Amino acid sequence: MKSSLILATTVKYIIPLLLIFSFFLLLRGHNEPGGGFAGGLVAAAAYALYAIANGVEEAEKFLSIEPLKLFSFGLLTALISALLPLLAGKPFMTGVWLDNKIPVIGKLGTPIIFDVGVYLLVLGVSTKIIFSLAQEEE
Amino acid sequence: MEVILVIVIGVLYASGLYMILRRSFVKVIIGLIFLGHAANLLIFTVGRISKGIPAFISIEGTLAENAADPLPQALILTAIVIGFGVQAFAIVLFKRAYQTTGTDDLDELNTTDELIQ
Amino acid sequence: MLYAVVAGFIFAIFFPAAVRINKQAGKIAAAVLPLGIFIYFASFYNTITEGNVIAQSYNWIPSLGINLSFYLDGLSLTFALIISLVGFAVFLYTASYMEGNKYITRFYIYITLFMASMLGLVLSDNIITMFVFWELTSISSYFLIGFNHDKERSRIYALQALLITGGGGLALLAGLIIIANISGGWSISSLADLNELITGHKHYPIAAILVLIGAFTKSAQFPFHFWLPNAMEAPTPVSAYLHSATMVKAGIYLMARMNPSLGGTDLWQHTILIVGAVTMLFTAMLSLKQTDLKKLLAYSTLGVLGTLTMLLGIGSDLAIKAFMIYLIAHSLYKGTLFLIAGIIDHETGTRDITKLGGLRKLMPITMVIAVLASLSKMGIIPLIGFVGKETVYASALEFEPFGTLLIILAIAANVFIVYITIAVGFKPFFGKLKPTPKEPHESPFKMWFGPMILALLGVVLGMFSSVVINSLINFTEIGVINKKLNIPVKLWHGFNLELALSVLTVLLGVLLYFKRDNIVNTLNKISFTKYVKPSYYYEFLLSSTLSFAKFQTKFLQNGNLSNYAAMIIVATIFLGGLALVSFGGAPNIDLTFAPTFAEVIIGIILILAAISAVRAKSRLTAIVSVGVVGYSVALIFIMYSAPDLAMTQFAIETLTVILFVLVIYRLPKYLPFSSMTRRIRDFILAGLGGLLMSLIVLFIIAEPMTSELKKYFGENSLTIGKGRNIVNVILVDFRALDTMGEIAVLAIAAIGVYALLKLKSNGSEK
């Protein structure tokens, strides 16, 4: 599915912005509107746009990781974040936080890791669905 | 202000139900989407709405008395995303059925058991 | 005690692994387990016979009052000892009997599971816990009867046993819950003191009858008796263990256990007495036509179960004593005889008594054991069976005003039992040697050792009954009639009426044995209508249930999606409407907030878009309209302070549109399929549904609401969750487990999409 040159060129500049925005949404989600779900969906939309402009194969290359692996990894990340408190001797899924703030990210704790897992999973699931369907049509 | 939402919910439910009763599967999928919206708005409305005060904790560390209730919002948020997954699955499922059987008339799809045999 | 019960369950889990390591060791361990449990419970003997009880409790679902409570008194100790001892004999026996069976591991798992459940059943002090174990015994019995699952008969009869005992179990549960409601507690031992409260309650009759149905089905009382002979399809160790010594006595145990709390009324005593007496005589008579060793034994078991029930129904002190002695005696000799029948079957290849004879020289040890058990069963001095029968007769005799009737019934039933015993215990060993399908020789040690112990115990308990079981029985009676008896158990009561009747019984039994063929010939000439057989009604009920299910499936699940949807909608409108009507009154609508211009516009756009999607003739129009609806919903979220929702909704809507754009050209064209009448029908249904939902929302928001949760999240979101965005904190911290589930579902949906598409490409390759 090749599209117009205008779209392709526009997308080239918009995509990085969208991806940065999605990352921004993920990180600030704990205190401002955003979070893993919204961030992951925005990123997925960016890749979907890319796929419409340049074709699925290009988009897959651009993503550079198989979406199936991506969402498995996301699920695993979320699971690990839930298991981490066990190491600290706390019940499953208790939020554990580092005392010191880290630049850019802010406070780091297992809920943030969990949110990153959600982000990766949502991105992986959405791209998987859209790429499979698009491939089907080609 | 709730009155508008009440009417909107009613219309969304009615059109969703009507669409889900159709025989063409594209319409059924649209019906599913509408029912999803309707259910989300229903939860949203019965959780009481508030205007202009989102559920954020202020700098002073308190939540405003008349702020929105965060719990229904959290429920709806996941419901929206799950709804998307269900939609995608339904689209693919119907598409496959269409490709296999050559019809999208759901009335004709009631003998799948025999087809497999 | 928890460990003694749980040991079996743990064993069943680890047994397959153990067998893989070492097969022999696994089997030995399986026999050691019940022996260990037996020794464990035997160690309580002194404590219990000194008049103590032991109670232990572990929390299970404390909020519902359901605990793993165990209670050891004379009654449960007696049962626990029987279960573990017969278990030991059976497990040892199985190692040899099931040798070479492909599914032997599975067999051990089922039977250990059963033993553990049975122990749990007799030791439980909590009504619900007891019920759970009760059902577990039914289920393990189902697996064991159907163990030879390649035989159709096994499967049919396994199902029959499960349906009857399981159905009875449901009645029992209902009865027990009513009793718990009346008494206000779940502890069985505390019920004993509440007899007056329970029997005086207006719901008592229904509770008592439900409990009795449970007990009667489990213990195969008339008219539910027919599943037991059919259960003989199970391998012999199962018949010996479950269907004579233990499981079928669960119903008897239940009646005995509930006797102090539910008993004493005419309803209870008379029902039990009559059902027991009918079962005793009727089933013993049915044995006459049988020639199969195991079937014969099954009918005599039924006769004994009837007798035990009848004794409870008589309810006098002497009857309760007879009940306990007879119970112990029966478990010992009947288990033995079943195992002997299994040995004969195993060694000769047939269970048909007409084809067996003269095995005494070839199988001397088996013969001795069989004769010992048979003598006990026939009630010959000095075995425990003698003590048992003497006491049964004595208690039947003293029952006023129907003592004469009862004793005649009891003697008649026992004549048949003597007949069965001769046929099973003597016939195969004496007389002329008959050719059998297999060359018979003495069974291996593992097979005869267990039955020998049981048979010898029958002798020891009989000869020294005043010493060994006297005190145990005296304390058991506390469990049954809530008072301690001091009627000593004695072997020899002197020359009295009971002894004379015993002799008469044996003589008549021998006579019956020799006259059997004549009687059967006469019986065969009389044809009974099928309507007399209770099993006819079972089959009728089963087949009607199946045909109803078939009809209902055809009617309700006809494969038509819109029919399903229509049915759900109609039901929802009906039930929801009913609820609204019963709620009554008009909602107090708060109209103080006039909608702003923007709100009205968005509302109108949304409604128009929805209508346009419904009315669209082309796919493109429909999809654009769907998109407009979605974005309008997002705008609503923005207006009413839900920025997170709005953002998610925008993103999702974009993806949905992309999804549709990707597939749209492959989507089938819009065609007007439906007729006008159907559209009108659907329009009315949908309209009513929409109206109902609107009304529901109106009613709800008219009520005041204070959200405790909102307050909680407001206070704790920053301190505990370290976040200001409460919605997000809920998602990733407070309710993270839910989110975990949600994302797992998403992953599954994606895999489903992928698999469906992949499947197609594979399909086209073919």
Side-chain angles (χ1 to χ4, degrees):
Chain A
M1 204 187 333
K2 283 274 169 189
S3 191
S4 70
L5 184 69
I6 302 175
L7 183 62
T9 324
T10 323
V11 159
K12 209 165 136 189
Y13 292 102
I14 281 183
I15 299 274
L17 286 176
L18 276 177
L19 289 180
I20 291 170
F21 178 59
S22 83
F23 205 61
F24 169 71
L25 277 183
L26 164 68
L27 289 183
R28 69 165 205 163
H30 221 54
N31 292 316
E32 306 284 330
F37 279 108
L41 287 169
V42 169
Y47 284 106
L49 272 180
Y50 195 91
I52 289 177
N54 303 319
V56 177
E57 276 176 28
E58 286 298 312
E60 277 187 332
K61 259 184 231 161
F62 182 58
L63 183 62
S64 76
I65 172 171
E66 160 66 5
L68 199 71
K69 283 182 192 153
L70 193 63
F71 75 69
S72 313
F73 187 68
L75 201 56
L76 193 69
T77 311
L79 194 66
I80 289 172
S81 85
L83 291 174
L84 277 177
L86 294 181
L87 293 180
K90 292 184 178 170
F92 182 65
M93 278 199 159
T94 317
V96 179
W97 296 85
L98 291 181
D99 292 335
N100 302 323
K101 279 196 178 185
I102 294 169
V104 185
I105 299 175
K107 284 211 122 192
L108 185 66
T110 52
I112 301 291
I113 303 176
F114 186 84
D115 219 11
V116 172
V118 171
Y119 175 91
L120 294 176
L121 178 126
V122 170
L123 174 60
V125 165
S126 312
T127 47
K128 182 79 213 167
I129 290 173
I130 285 167
F131 287 180
S132 323
L133 269 169
Q135 245 160 3
E136 171 83 1
E137 302 307 322
E138 275 171 5
Chain B
M1 52 192 179
E2 285 99 336
V3 179
I4 294 176
L5 282 178
V6 168
I7 298 168
V8 165
I9 290 170
V11 170
L12 276 178
Y13 263 110
S15 31
L17 291 176
Y18 183 77
M19 291 301 259
I20 221 166
L21 288 167
R22 304 274 48 80
R23 286 161 70 177
S24 158
F25 75 65
V26 181
K27 291 188 180 174
V28 172
I29 291 173
I30 293 175
L32 272 179
I33 296 174
F34 280 6
L35 286 181
H37 287 319
N40 287 344
L41 283 180
L42 181 130
I43 298 172
F44 192 61
T45 313
V46 300
R48 303 303 187 275
I49 50 176
S50 84
K51 240 173 159 181
I53 310 155
F56 289 97
I57 291 174
S58 63
I59 304 294
E60 297 87 54
T62 52
L63 180 66
E65 189 64 33
N66 49 354
D69 192 342
L71 190 64
Q73 293 194 16
L75 295 176
I76 297 167
L77 202 149
T78 43
I80 294 173
V81 184
I82 290 272
F84 174 70
V86 172
Q87 269 166 42
F89 187 77
I91 289 176
V92 176
L93 189 68
F94 278 129
K95 226 168 88 79
R96 279 276 290 134
Y98 177 55
Q99 283 163 346
T100 316
T101 61
T103 178
D104 82 320
D105 182 357
L106 287 167
D107 273 12
E108 283 178 24
L109 283 179
N110 58 6
T111 47
T112 42
D113 290 348
E114 287 162 35
L115 277 175
I116 289 163
Q117 290 163 8
Chain C
M1 262 186 282
L2 178 70
Y3 298 110
V5 174
V6 168
F9 292 113
I10 292 172
F11 182 86
I13 294 171
F14 290 106
F15 184 70
V19 169
R20 215 160 290 148
I21 298 164
N22 189 324
K23 209 165 183 178
Q24 283 310 320
K27 285 185 198 166
I28 292 166
V32 169
L33 175 74
L35 187 64
I37 294 175
F38 178 77
I39 294 170
Y40 172 76
F41 281 110
S43 72
F44 288 110
Y45 185 86
N46 282 335
T47 322
I48 299 297
T49 51
E50 278 159 16
N52 303 309
V53 294
I54 298 165
Q56 288 170 359
S57 188
Y58 305 87
N59 278 347
W60 184 11
I61 316 173
S63 53
L64 295 178
I66 298 168
N67 300 316
L68 279 173
S69 320
F70 296 107
Y71 186 77
L72 191 71
D73 63 355
L75 184 62
S76 40
L77 179 64
T78 310
F79 269 92
L81 289 175
I82 292 174
I83 293 163
S84 49
L85 183 67
V86 180
F88 169 64
V90 167
F91 278 48
L92 197 64
Y93 180 89
T94 303
S96 186
Y97 183 84
M98 303 290 286
E99 189 84 68
N101 189 309
K102 177 153 76 150
Y103 300 117
I104 185 165
T105 315
R106 203 181 286 176
F107 185 84
Y108 271 111
I109 294 173
Y110 293 155
I111 205 158
T112 340
L113 214 58
F114 166 76
M115 184 181 69
S117 323
M118 191 69 205
L119 280 172
L121 165 60
V122 298
L123 292 170
S124 291
D125 189 34
N126 184 287
I127 287 177
I128 296 298
T129 319
M130 186 190 73
F131 174 76
V132 170
F133 285 120
W134 176 280
E135 290 296 61
L136 276 175
T137 62
S138 289
I139 291 165
S140 44
S141 150
Y142 167 72
F143 284 133
L144 287 164
I145 299 172
F147 183 71
N148 294 320
H149 53 79
D150 40 0
K151 280 203 269 171
E152 197 193 359
R153 288 162 60 85
S154 295
R155 297 198 302 270
I156 292 175
Y157 293 137
L159 189 64
Q160 187 182 57
L162 181 71
L163 287 178
I164 293 175
T165 55
L170 289 182
L172 172 68
L173 179 65
L176 290 176
I177 288 175
I178 297 175
I179 293 168
N181 272 342
I182 298 173
S183 69
W186 296 99
S187 159
I188 297 171
S189 53
S190 66
L191 286 180
D193 302 324
L194 300 171
N195 182 293
E196 275 172 31
L197 173 76
I198 295 170
T199 53
H201 196 273
K202 66 173 192 264
H203 290 142
Y204 164 75
I206 179 88
I209 285 175
L210 287 170
V211 168
L212 285 180
I213 289 176
F216 290 162
T217 50
K218 194 87 169 179
S219 284
Q221 298 294 308
F222 183 87
F224 307 111
H225 63 274
F226 54 91
W227 72 263
L228 185 59
N230 290 337
M232 292 300 124
E233 286 299 321
T236 306
V238 177
S239 311
Y241 195 30
L242 274 71
H243 303 126
S244 80
T246 56
M247 189 189 97
V248 288
K249 297 216 173 77
I252 306 281
Y253 168 80
L254 180 76
M255 287 187 273
R257 181 55 87 197
M258 289 293 167
N259 200 41
S261 37
L262 301 179
T265 59
D266 284 353
L267 172 76
W268 178 267
Q269 301 296 347
H270 292 173
T271 313
I272 295 181
L273 178 68
I274 293 166
V275 169
V278 169
T279 310
M280 172 179 77
L281 189 65
F282 179 72
T283 56
M285 278 162 62
L286 285 176
S287 67
L288 210 54
K289 281 180 144 185
Q290 304 296 330
T291 56
D292 182 285
L293 278 177
K294 282 176 69 182
K295 286 256 163 114
L296 275 167
L297 287 172
Y299 280 105
S300 85
T301 306
L302 285 171
V304 173
L305 291 172
T307 314
L308 287 170
T309 309
M310 181 188 81
L311 287 170
L312 279 177
I314 295 174
S316 64
D317 294 358
L318 195 59
I320 300 301
K321 197 178 80 169
F323 168 81
M324 285 314 299
I325 303 173
Y326 205 45
L327 178 88
I328 297 169
H330 175 257
S331 302
L332 292 177
Y333 69 67
K334 190 54 65 62
T336 313
L337 283 176
F338 262 112
L339 295 178
I340 296 290
I343 292 179
I344 294 173
D345 183 20
H346 194 255
E347 297 299 326
T348 66
T350 180
R351 288 199 317 241
D352 189 338
I353 51 163
T354 55
K355 296 192 179 115
L356 290 164
L359 292 170
R360 66 180 180 284
K361 284 197 180 125
L362 296 168
M363 307 166 76
I365 304 175
T366 314
M367 187 271 289
V368 171
I369 299 168
V371 167
L372 275 181
S374 304
L375 290 177
S376 180
K377 187 177 171 193
M378 287 159 72
I380 307 281
I381 200 163
L383 292 105
I384 176 91
F386 171 76
V387 189
K389 195 164 22 164
E390 293 285 287
T391 334
V392 172
Y393 282 0
S395 50
L397 275 173
E398 66 164 31
F399 183 67
E400 290 301 330
F402 297 112
T404 326
L405 178 65
L406 272 193
I407 195 76
I408 292 170
L409 290 178
I411 290 174
N414 272 297
V415 166
F416 283 99
I417 288 177
V418 169
Y419 151 74
I420 293 171
T421 317
I422 300 171
V424 175
F426 291 93
K427 168 117 197 335
F429 298 101
F430 297 96
K432 266 209 332 236
L433 184 65
K434 291 190 181 173
T436 49
K438 266 163 81 179
E439 191 65 36
H441 40 73
E442 186 53 83
S443 53
F445 163 80
K446 270 191 242 165
M447 283 178 92
W448 60 254
F449 184 71
M452 187 191 71
I453 289 189
L454 298 182
L456 287 179
L457 208 58
V459 183
V460 173
L461 290 187
M463 301 220 295
F464 306 102
S465 51
S466 50
V467 191
V468 186
I469 49 173
N470 197 9
S471 40
L472 180 61
I473 283 176
N474 276 336
F475 281 98
T476 304
E477 284 147 354
I478 300 184
V480 186
I481 50 174
N482 215 8
K483 64 176 175 184
K484 183 169 175 286
L485 299 176
N486 276 314
I487 308 173
V489 183
K490 278 196 299 194
L491 177 63
W492 183 245
H493 287 268
F495 294 97
N496 53 12
L497 185 56
E498 289 94 61
L499 185 69
L501 291 175
S502 274
V503 174
L504 179 69
T505 311
V506 175
L507 290 179
L508 285 174
V510 175
L511 187 70
L512 179 65
Y513 175 73
F514 289 107
K515 291 284 174 204
R516 179 214 174 236
D517 291 349
N518 298 349
I519 300 173
V520 169
N521 284 340
T522 330
L523 276 179
N524 281 342
K525 283 176 199 143
I526 316 166
S527 60
F528 291 101
T529 148
K530 61 181 176 182
Y531 300 108
V532 248
K533 282 186 164 181
S535 57
Y536 168 78
Y537 295 97
Y538 164 80
E539 272 149 28
F540 176 74
L541 208 61
L542 189 64
S543 63
S544 355
T545 311
L546 290 180
S547 39
F548 178 69
K550 208 169 174 180
F551 157 76
Q552 194 209 32
T553 312
K554 268 191 179 160
F555 178 70
L556 290 177
Q557 310 208 343
N558 49 9
N560 189 320
L561 191 65
S562 51
N563 259 10
Y564 293 172
M567 249 177 253
I568 296 170
I569 295 168
V570 169
T572 312
I573 293 173
F574 177 72
L575 292 173
L578 210 64
L580 275 191
V581 169
S582 64
F583 193 73
N588 172 26
I589 303 166
D590 181 9
L591 282 174
T592 45
F593 285 106
T596 62
F597 182 65
E599 287 164 3
V600 175
I601 293 294
I602 290 173
I604 290 174
I605 291 175
L606 203 156
I607 291 168
L608 287 179
I611 292 169
S612 132
V614 171
R615 292 179 53 89
K617 293 273 183 294
S618 81
R619 294 162 297 177
L620 195 65
T621 323
I623 287 164
V624 170
S625 312
V626 169
V628 172
V629 169
Y631 287 122
S632 311
V633 171
L635 285 177
I636 290 179
F637 287 144
I638 287 193
M639 278 193 306
Y640 299 117
S641 5
D644 286 283
L645 290 191
M647 217 180 301
T648 316
Q649 183 70 51
F650 273 123
I652 284 285
E653 218 41 56
T654 311
L655 287 177
T656 307
V657 171
I658 292 175
L659 203 67
F660 267 111
V661 168
L662 282 173
V663 292
I664 187 165
Y665 295 107
R666 291 295 179 86
L667 291 177
K669 284 221 164 60
Y670 258 27
L671 292 171
F673 284 124
S674 306
S675 63
M676 200 59 200
T677 42
R678 184 159 156 186
R679 282 183 209 196
I680 291 170
R681 180 202 81 170
D682 293 350
F683 185 78
I684 293 171
L685 270 185
L688 282 174
L691 186 67
L692 175 78
M693 298 317 282
S694 287
L695 284 176
I696 287 177
V697 176
L698 264 186
F699 270 92
I700 296 175
I701 56 177
E703 298 292 315
M705 184 180 91
T706 46
S707 171
E708 288 295 315
L709 286 169
K710 179 172 149 187
K711 216 175 122 203
Y712 172 84
F713 289 131
E715 281 163 6
N716 293 305
S717 187
L718 190 59
T719 44
I720 298 176
K722 320 257 184 225
R724 292 180 188 281
N725 180 355
I726 304 180
V727 175
N728 196 55
V729 173
I730 292 176
L731 284 174
V732 299
D733 198 341
F734 289 123
R735 308 292 313 164
L737 194 62
D738 296 353
T739 313
M740 191 80 199
E742 313 249 16
I743 60 177
V745 170
L746 273 182
I748 293 166
I751 293 171
V753 168
Y754 177 65
L756 272 175
L757 294 171
K758 194 88 180 161
L759 207 70
K760 197 209 115 231
S761 56
N762 282 349
S764 56
E765 277 165 23
K766 275 179 193 167

